[in-house]
């Protein structure tokens, strides 16, 4: 925080590398959930702005929240997105609404812990290991400029890879759904 958007680069990169095992919407949910804390204290003009949710302990609770609440919320959001789509965009913009537990858990854990690590490097008021230690040994390990460039490059590469393999991914997801249907049919 305040550059929540800068965290999204890593998520796009992960989505492009492991599309089936990483839920980008759940990843975004974790970023927003953690940064509501910083936003709240920024608005109240109170410091430090990075408190409990910006520790590894707080982030672990956010992972649980993202899997238990964020996952169904994202599935609902995707369904709504699909119903609002015009038919001519359906082929390109339709998103499979089902998010597996595994994809949600991986995205939530990666999202929450990478957020804490990145903010620890960027912000002097971070105490990532609180309440066990109040020391932040990561602060300034990489300059903000280089960290931002790294995230932007990850995001850019992620978008390129997702774009290049968009059709392949669609076919993959279609066969996955067919497989799931076959399994459920066999079960009946
Ligand atoms: Zn943050």
């Amino acid at each position: 925080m305040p550059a929540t958007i800068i965290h999204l680069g890593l998520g796009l990169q992960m989505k492009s590398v492991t599309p089936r095992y990483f839920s980008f919407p759940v990843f975004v949910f974790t970023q927003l959930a953690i940064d509501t804390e910083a936003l709240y204290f920024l608005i109240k003009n109170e410091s430090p702005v990075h408190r409990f949710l910006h520790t590894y302990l707080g982030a672990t609770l956010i992972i649980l929240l993202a899997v238990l609440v964020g996952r169904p919320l994202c599935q609902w959001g995707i369904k709504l997105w699909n119903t609002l789509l015009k038919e001519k965009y359906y082929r390109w913009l339709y998103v499979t609404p089902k998010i597996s537990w595994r994809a949600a858990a991986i995205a939530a854990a990666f999202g929450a812990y990478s957020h804490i690590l990145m903010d620890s490097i960027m912000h002097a008021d971070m105490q990532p290991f609180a309440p066990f230690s109040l020391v932040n040994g990561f602060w300034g390990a990489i300059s903000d400029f280089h960290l931002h460039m790294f995230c932007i490059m990850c995001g850019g590469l992620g978008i390129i890879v997702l774009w290049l393999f968009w059709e392949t991914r669609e076919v993959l997801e279609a066969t996955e759904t067919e497989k799931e249907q076959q399994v459920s049919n066999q079960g009946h």
Side-chain angles (χ1 to χ4, degrees), residues 73-159:
L73 211 62
C74 290
Q75 292 189 140
W76 175 81
I78 294 169
K79 273 184 201 156
L80 186 69
W81 162 264
N82 287 337
T83 54
L84 294 175
L85 272 184
K86 289 202 173 116
E87 211 174 318
K88 59 178 172 176
Y89 301 122
Y90 211 70
R91 181 171 153 71
W92 291 101
L93 298 179
Y94 174 83
V95 183
T96 311
K98 173 125 179 63
I99 300 171
S100 71
W101 285 105
R102 184 158 48 173
I106 291 172
F110 179 79
Y113 293 143
S114 70
H115 189 117
I116 303 304
L117 179 63
M118 280 178 59
D119 277 9
S120 301
I121 296 170
M122 282 190 284
H123 304 294
D125 66 345
M126 286 282 296
Q127 294 175 332
F129 299 105
F132 310 108
S133 164
L134 302 184
V135 175
N136 175 14
F138 295 100
W139 183 52
I142 307 168
S143 74
D144 281 7
F145 173 76
H146 285 107
L147 192 65
H148 286 179
M149 284 312 286
F150 172 71
C151 293
I152 291 167
M153 278 167 67
C154 280
L157 275 173
I159 288 171

Side-chain angles (χ1 to χ4, degrees), residues 6 11 31 35 40 44 46 58 63 92 118 120 124 151 158 160 174:
I6 211 75
Q31 306 310 309
D35 270 348
Y40 174 78
K44 283 186 76 182
E46 279 181 27
I63 294 171
W92 291 101
M118 280 178 59
S120 301
C151 293
I160 291 170

